[in-house]
Amino acid sequence: MPDVTNNTEGLHVKLIPAFIESVRTVFQTMVRVKVSILEPHVKKDSRECHDVSGVIGFSGALRGSAVLAFPQKTALDLVARFAGAEFAPDSADFADAVGELTNMIAGTAKSTLGEAAGISTPLVILGANHSVPPLRDLPCLVIPCRCEYGDFSIELNIKRHAVPVAA
């Protein structure tokens, strides 16, 4: 795996192995799909577009967001496998399934890190060619993933945040 730590100033780089393991575990156990991890890289163009995105925010000791992003066809196939039923891309059930996958991946990674952080309720964005802008003061790390249903990615824009101790 390439060393991306030189290009991730400010990014909490321990997130990378935690999210890689979380993606593999969640997709293997919950979707029954083997996922290969491609070369992580820093996102160069914040206008990179997706069709389906699950976004979850981090607060407390970690600040930022994680985005699980798919082309629509890949998302439809993976959700059908995850839920055991096919859903229309504009249905609430489809969005719920994408949100649940995002939540499981972020929650598993967070527990691996052991940080005193909270995660938000997932937000799901549907629609061709949308982008999710990262925090301006932090690089966005993209972990590309590949499975038998197509490619997708996890985008990490998360940093450590000093939490004041109560007196």
Side-chain angles (χ1 to χ4, degrees):
M1 181 158 306
D3 180 11
V4 295
T5 56
N6 290 335
N7 297 322
T8 56
E9 185 175 326
L11 188 71
H12 183 2
V13 293
K14 289 184 177 179
L15 292 169
I16 299 167
F19 270 89
I20 287 173
E21 188 57 32
S22 180
V23 166
R24 284 183 172 144
T25 299
V26 168
F27 276 89
Q28 187 165 0
T29 59
M30 304 307 292
V31 188
R32 298 168 315 282
V33 169
K34 184 175 180 181
V35 173
S36 299
I37 305 299
L38 306 179
E39 186 174 322
H41 60 275
V42 174
K43 189 174 186 176
K44 299 284 186 212
D45 184 355
S46 65
R47 297 169 297 170
E48 266 182 46
C49 297
H50 315 292
D51 297 332
V52 177
S53 296
V55 182
I56 200 156
F58 284 76
S59 61
L62 300 174
R63 292 273 172 99
S65 63
V67 178
L68 177 62
F70 304 94
Q72 182 170 300
K73 174 78 170 112
T74 303
L76 285 167
D77 290 343
L78 289 170
V79 163
R81 190 151 175 97
F82 171 58
E86 292 185 11
F87 299 120
D90 60 349
S91 75
D93 291 331
F94 177 75
D96 286 349
V98 171
E100 186 56 29
L101 285 170
T102 307
N103 188 47
M104 286 189 285
I105 290 167
T108 301
K110 184 185 88 98
S111 69
T112 299
L113 290 166
E115 299 277 358
I119 57 175
S120 70
T121 301
L123 167 72
V124 177
I125 302 170
L126 305 171
N129 298 318
H130 68 262
S131 62
V132 180
L135 295 174
R136 290 184 182 176
D137 64 339
L138 193 63
C140 179
L141 180 72
V142 179
I143 302 174
C145 304
R146 178 167 288 156
C147 71
E148 65 189 90
Y149 297 102
D151 292 349
F152 63 95
S153 64
I154 296 283
E155 295 181 358
L156 303 177
N157 189 234
I158 300 171
K159 63 182 176 182
R160 272 205 172 113
H161 178 74
V163 179
V165 178

Coordinates of all heavy atoms in Angstrom, one line a residue, residues 48-111:
E48 N -15.1 16.3 -7.8 CA -15.3 14.9 -8.2 C -16.7 14.6 -7.9 O -17.2 14.9 -6.8 CB -14.4 14.0 -7.5 CG -13.1 13.7 -8.3 CD -12.2 12.7 -7.5 OE1 -12.8 11.7 -7.0 OE2 -11.0 13.0 -7.4
C49 N -17.4 13.9 -8.8 CA -18.8 13.7 -8.7 C -19.2 12.3 -8.4 O -18.5 11.3 -8.8 CB -19.5 14.2 -10.0 SG -19.3 15.9 -10.2
H50 N -20.3 12.1 -7.7 CA -20.9 10.8 -7.4 C -22.4 10.8 -7.7 O -23.0 11.9 -7.9 CB -20.7 10.5 -5.9 CG -19.4 10.9 -5.4 ND1 -18.3 10.2 -5.7 CD2 -19.0 11.8 -4.5 CE1 -17.2 10.7 -5.1 NE2 -17.6 11.7 -4.4
D51 N -23.0 9.6 -7.7 CA -24.4 9.5 -7.9 C -25.2 9.3 -6.6 O -26.3 9.7 -6.4 CB -24.7 8.4 -8.9 CG -24.2 8.6 -10.3 OD1 -24.0 9.8 -10.7 OD2 -23.9 7.6 -11.0
V52 N -24.5 8.5 -5.7 CA -25.1 8.2 -4.4 C -24.0 8.4 -3.3 O -22.9 7.8 -3.5 CB -25.6 6.7 -4.4 CG1 -26.1 6.4 -3.0 CG2 -26.6 6.5 -5.5
S53 N -24.3 9.1 -2.3 CA -23.3 9.4 -1.2 C -24.0 9.2 0.1 O -25.0 9.8 0.4 CB -22.7 10.8 -1.3 OG -22.0 10.9 -2.5
G54 N -23.4 8.5 1.0 CA -23.7 8.4 2.4 C -22.7 9.3 3.2 O -21.5 9.0 3.0
V55 N -23.1 10.3 3.9 CA -22.2 11.2 4.6 C -22.5 11.1 6.1 O -23.7 11.1 6.5 CB -22.5 12.6 4.1 CG1 -21.5 13.6 4.8 CG2 -22.4 12.8 2.6
I56 N -21.4 11.0 6.8 CA -21.6 10.9 8.3 C -20.5 11.8 8.9 O -19.4 11.9 8.5 CB -21.4 9.4 8.8 CG1 -22.1 9.3 10.2 CG2 -20.0 9.0 8.8 CD1 -22.5 7.9 10.5
G57 N -21.0 12.6 9.9 CA -20.1 13.6 10.5 C -19.5 13.1 11.8 O -20.1 12.2 12.5
F58 N -18.3 13.5 12.1 CA -17.6 13.2 13.4 C -17.5 14.4 14.2 O -17.3 15.5 13.7 CB -16.2 12.6 13.1 CG -16.2 11.2 12.6 CD1 -16.5 10.9 11.3 CD2 -15.8 10.2 13.4 CE1 -16.5 9.6 10.8 CE2 -15.8 8.9 12.9 CZ -16.2 8.6 11.6
S59 N -17.7 14.2 15.5 CA -17.6 15.4 16.5 C -16.8 14.9 17.7 O -16.6 13.7 17.9 CB -18.9 15.9 16.9 OG -19.7 14.8 17.5
G60 N -16.5 15.8 18.6 CA -15.7 15.5 19.8 C -14.2 15.4 19.5 O -13.7 16.4 18.9
A61 N -13.5 14.3 19.8 CA -12.1 14.2 19.5 C -11.7 14.1 18.1 O -10.6 14.3 17.7 CB -11.5 13.0 20.3
L62 N -12.7 13.8 17.2 CA -12.5 13.8 15.8 C -13.5 14.8 15.2 O -14.6 14.8 15.5 CB -12.7 12.4 15.2 CG -11.8 11.3 15.8 CD1 -12.3 9.9 15.2 CD2 -10.4 11.6 15.4
R63 N -13.0 15.5 14.2 CA -13.9 16.5 13.5 C -13.8 16.2 12.0 O -12.7 16.0 11.4 CB -13.4 17.9 13.7 CG -13.7 18.3 15.2 CD -15.1 18.9 15.4 NE -15.4 19.1 16.8 CZ -15.3 20.3 17.3 NH1 -14.9 21.4 16.7 NH2 -15.6 20.5 18.6
G64 N -14.9 16.3 11.3 CA -14.9 16.1 9.9 C -16.0 15.2 9.4 O -17.1 15.0 10.1
S65 N -15.8 14.5 8.3 CA -16.8 13.6 7.7 C -16.2 12.5 7.0 O -15.0 12.5 6.6 CB -17.7 14.4 6.8 OG -17.0 14.9 5.7
A66 N -17.0 11.5 6.8 CA -16.6 10.3 6.0 C -17.8 10.2 5.0 O -18.9 10.3 5.3 CB -16.5 9.0 6.8
V67 N -17.4 10.0 3.7 CA -18.4 9.9 2.6 C -18.2 8.5 2.0 O -17.1 8.2 1.5 CB -18.2 11.0 1.6 CG1 -19.2 10.8 0.5 CG2 -18.3 12.4 2.3
L68 N -19.3 7.7 1.9 CA -19.3 6.5 1.2 C -20.0 6.8 -0.1 O -21.2 7.2 -0.2 CB -20.1 5.4 1.9 CG -20.3 4.0 1.3 CD1 -19.0 3.4 1.1 CD2 -21.2 3.2 2.2
A69 N -19.2 6.7 -1.3 CA -19.7 7.3 -2.5 C -19.7 6.2 -3.6 O -18.8 5.4 -3.8 CB -18.9 8.4 -3.0
F70 N -20.8 6.2 -4.4 CA -21.0 5.1 -5.4 C -21.5 5.7 -6.7 O -22.3 6.7 -6.7 CB -22.2 4.2 -5.0 CG -22.0 3.5 -3.7 CD1 -22.6 4.0 -2.6 CD2 -21.4 2.3 -3.6 CE1 -22.5 3.4 -1.4 CE2 -21.3 1.6 -2.4 CZ -21.9 2.1 -1.3
P71 N -21.3 5.0 -7.8 CA -22.1 5.2 -9.0 C -23.5 4.6 -8.7 O -23.5 3.6 -7.9 CB -21.3 4.5 -10.1 CG -20.0 4.2 -9.6 CD -20.1 4.2 -8.1
Q72 N -24.5 5.0 -9.4 CA -25.8 4.5 -9.0 C -26.0 3.0 -9.2 O -26.6 2.4 -8.4 CB -26.9 5.3 -9.9 CG -28.3 4.8 -9.5 CD -29.4 5.6 -10.1 OE1 -29.4 6.8 -9.9 NE2 -30.2 5.0 -10.9
K73 N -25.5 2.5 -10.3 CA -25.7 1.0 -10.6 C -25.0 0.2 -9.5 O -25.6 -0.8 -9.0 CB -25.1 0.7 -12.0 CG -25.1 -0.8 -12.3 CD -26.5 -1.3 -12.7 CE -26.4 -2.7 -13.3 NZ -27.0 -3.7 -12.4
T74 N -23.8 0.6 -9.1 CA -23.1 -0.1 -8.1 C -23.9 -0.1 -6.8 O -24.1 -1.1 -6.1 CB -21.7 0.4 -7.9 OG1 -21.0 0.4 -9.1 CG2 -20.9 -0.3 -6.8
A75 N -24.4 1.1 -6.4 CA -25.2 1.3 -5.2 C -26.4 0.4 -5.2 O -26.8 -0.3 -4.2 CB -25.5 2.7 -5.0
L76 N -27.1 0.4 -6.4 CA -28.4 -0.4 -6.5 C -28.1 -1.9 -6.3 O -28.8 -2.6 -5.5 CB -29.0 -0.2 -7.8 CG -29.8 1.2 -8.0 CD1 -30.1 1.4 -9.5 CD2 -31.0 1.2 -7.2
D77 N -27.0 -2.4 -6.9 CA -26.7 -3.8 -6.8 C -26.2 -4.1 -5.4 O -26.6 -5.2 -4.8 CB -25.6 -4.1 -7.8 CG -26.0 -4.1 -9.2 OD1 -27.3 -4.1 -9.5 OD2 -25.2 -4.1 -10.1
L78 N -25.4 -3.3 -4.7 CA -25.0 -3.6 -3.4 C -26.1 -3.5 -2.4 O -26.2 -4.3 -1.4 CB -23.8 -2.7 -3.0 CG -22.5 -3.0 -3.7 CD1 -21.5 -1.9 -3.5 CD2 -21.9 -4.3 -3.3
V79 N -27.0 -2.5 -2.5 CA -28.1 -2.4 -1.6 C -29.0 -3.6 -1.8 O -29.5 -4.1 -0.8 CB -28.9 -1.1 -1.8 CG1 -30.2 -1.1 -1.2 CG2 -28.1 0.1 -1.2
A80 N -29.2 -4.1 -3.0 CA -30.1 -5.2 -3.2 C -29.5 -6.5 -2.5 O -30.2 -7.2 -1.9 CB -30.3 -5.5 -4.7
R81 N -28.2 -6.6 -2.6 CA -27.6 -7.7 -1.9 C -27.6 -7.6 -0.4 O -27.8 -8.5 0.3 CB -26.1 -7.8 -2.4 CG -25.4 -9.1 -1.9 CD -24.4 -9.5 -2.9 NE -23.7 -10.6 -2.4 CZ -24.0 -11.9 -2.7 NH1 -24.9 -12.1 -3.6 NH2 -23.3 -12.9 -2.1
F82 N -27.4 -6.3 0.1 CA -27.4 -6.1 1.5 C -28.8 -6.3 2.1 O -29.0 -6.9 3.1 CB -27.0 -4.6 1.8 CG -27.1 -4.1 3.2 CD1 -26.5 -4.7 4.2 CD2 -27.9 -2.9 3.4 CE1 -26.7 -4.2 5.5 CE2 -28.0 -2.4 4.7 CZ -27.4 -3.0 5.7
A83 N -29.8 -5.8 1.4 CA -31.2 -5.8 2.0 C -32.0 -7.1 1.6 O -33.0 -7.4 2.1 CB -32.0 -4.6 1.5
G84 N -31.5 -7.8 0.6 CA -32.2 -8.9 0.1 C -33.4 -8.6 -0.7 O -34.3 -9.4 -0.9
A85 N -33.5 -7.4 -1.2 CA -34.6 -6.9 -2.0 C -34.1 -5.7 -2.9 O -33.2 -5.0 -2.5 CB -35.8 -6.4 -1.2
E86 N -34.7 -5.6 -4.1 CA -34.4 -4.5 -4.9 C -35.2 -3.3 -4.6 O -36.4 -3.4 -4.4 CB -34.5 -4.8 -6.4 CG -33.5 -5.9 -6.8 CD -33.5 -6.2 -8.3 OE1 -34.2 -5.5 -9.0 OE2 -32.9 -7.2 -8.7
F87 N -34.6 -2.1 -4.6 CA -35.4 -0.8 -4.3 C -35.1 0.1 -5.4 O -34.0 0.2 -6.0 CB -34.9 -0.2 -3.0 CG -35.1 -1.1 -1.8 CD1 -34.0 -1.5 -1.0 CD2 -36.3 -1.5 -1.4 CE1 -34.2 -2.2 0.1 CE2 -36.5 -2.3 -0.3 CZ -35.4 -2.7 0.5
A88 N -36.1 1.0 -5.7 CA -35.9 2.1 -6.6 C -34.9 3.1 -6.0 O -34.9 3.3 -4.8 CB -37.3 2.7 -6.9
P89 N -34.1 3.7 -6.9 CA -33.1 4.6 -6.4 C -33.7 5.8 -5.7 O -33.0 6.5 -4.9 CB -32.3 5.0 -7.6 CG -33.2 4.7 -8.8 CD -34.1 3.6 -8.3
D90 N -35.0 6.1 -5.9 CA -35.6 7.3 -5.2 C -36.5 6.9 -4.0 O -37.2 7.7 -3.5 CB -36.4 8.1 -6.2 CG -37.5 7.3 -6.9 OD1 -37.6 6.1 -6.7 OD2 -38.4 8.0 -7.5
S91 N -36.4 5.6 -3.6 CA -37.2 5.2 -2.5 C -36.5 5.4 -1.2 O -35.3 5.5 -1.1 CB -37.5 3.7 -2.6 OG -36.3 2.9 -2.3
A92 N -37.3 5.6 -0.1 CA -36.8 5.8 1.2 C -36.0 4.6 1.7 O -35.0 4.7 2.4 CB -37.9 6.1 2.2
D93 N -36.4 3.4 1.3 CA -35.7 2.1 1.7 C -34.3 2.1 1.1 O -33.3 1.7 1.8 CB -36.5 0.9 1.2 CG -37.8 0.7 2.0 OD1 -37.8 1.1 3.2 OD2 -38.7 0.2 1.4
F94 N -34.1 2.6 -0.1 CA -32.8 2.6 -0.8 C -31.9 3.6 0.0 O -30.8 3.2 0.4 CB -32.9 3.0 -2.2 CG -31.6 3.2 -2.9 CD1 -30.8 2.1 -3.3 CD2 -31.0 4.4 -3.2 CE1 -29.6 2.2 -3.9 CE2 -29.8 4.6 -3.8 CZ -29.1 3.5 -4.1
A95 N -32.4 4.8 0.3 CA -31.6 5.7 1.1 C -31.3 5.2 2.5 O -30.2 5.4 3.0 CB -32.4 7.1 1.1
D96 N -32.3 4.6 3.1 CA -32.0 4.0 4.4 C -30.9 3.0 4.4 O -30.1 2.9 5.3 CB -33.3 3.3 5.0 CG -34.3 4.4 5.4 OD1 -34.0 5.6 5.5 OD2 -35.5 3.9 5.7
A97 N -30.9 2.1 3.4 CA -29.8 1.1 3.3 C -28.5 1.7 3.1 O -27.5 1.3 3.7 CB -30.2 0.1 2.1
V98 N -28.4 2.7 2.2 CA -27.1 3.4 2.0 C -26.7 4.1 3.3 O -25.5 4.0 3.7 CB -27.2 4.5 0.9 CG1 -25.9 5.3 0.8 CG2 -27.4 3.8 -0.5
G99 N -27.6 4.7 4.0 CA -27.3 5.3 5.3 C -26.8 4.3 6.3 O -25.9 4.5 7.1
E100 N -27.4 3.1 6.3 CA -27.0 2.1 7.3 C -25.6 1.6 7.0 O -24.9 1.3 7.9 CB -28.1 1.0 7.3 CG -27.8 -0.1 8.4 CD -27.7 0.5 9.8 OE1 -28.4 1.5 10.1 OE2 -27.0 -0.1 10.6
L101 N -25.3 1.4 5.7 CA -24.0 0.9 5.4 C -22.9 2.0 5.8 O -21.9 1.6 6.4 CB -23.8 0.7 3.9 CG -24.5 -0.6 3.4 CD1 -24.5 -0.6 1.8 CD2 -23.8 -1.9 3.9
T102 N -23.2 3.2 5.6 CA -22.3 4.3 6.0 C -22.2 4.3 7.5 O -21.0 4.5 8.0 CB -22.9 5.7 5.5 OG1 -23.2 5.6 4.1 CG2 -21.9 6.8 5.8
N103 N -23.3 4.2 8.2 CA -23.2 4.2 9.7 C -22.4 3.0 10.2 O -21.6 3.2 11.1 CB -24.6 4.1 10.2 CG -24.7 4.3 11.7 OD1 -24.1 5.2 12.2 ND2 -25.4 3.4 12.4
M104 N -22.5 1.8 9.6 CA -21.8 0.7 10.1 C -20.3 0.9 9.9 O -19.5 0.5 10.7 CB -22.3 -0.6 9.4 CG -23.7 -1.0 10.0 SD -24.2 -2.7 9.4 CE -24.6 -2.3 7.7
I105 N -20.0 1.4 8.7 CA -18.5 1.6 8.4 C -17.9 2.6 9.3 O -16.9 2.4 9.9 CB -18.4 2.0 6.9 CG1 -18.7 0.7 6.0 CG2 -17.0 2.5 6.6 CD1 -18.9 1.1 4.5
A106 N -18.6 3.7 9.5 CA -18.0 4.8 10.3 C -18.0 4.3 11.8 O -17.0 4.6 12.5 CB -18.9 6.1 10.2
G107 N -19.0 3.7 12.2 CA -19.1 3.2 13.6 C -18.0 2.2 13.9 O -17.4 2.2 15.0
T108 N -17.8 1.3 13.0 CA -16.8 0.2 13.2 C -15.4 0.9 13.2 O -14.5 0.6 14.1 CB -16.8 -0.8 12.1 OG1 -18.1 -1.4 12.2 CG2 -15.8 -1.9 12.3
A109 N -15.1 1.8 12.3 CA -13.8 2.5 12.3 C -13.6 3.3 13.6 O -12.5 3.3 14.2 CB -13.7 3.4 11.1
K110 N -14.6 4.0 14.0 CA -14.5 4.8 15.2 C -14.2 3.9 16.4 O -13.4 4.3 17.2 CB -15.8 5.6 15.5 CG -15.8 6.5 16.7 CD -17.1 7.2 16.9 CE -17.9 6.3 17.8 NZ -18.0 6.5 19.2
S111 N -14.9 2.8 16.5 CA -14.6 1.9 17.7 C -13.2 1.4 17.6 O -12.6 1.2 18.7 CB -15.6 0.8 17.8 OG -15.5 -0.1 16.7

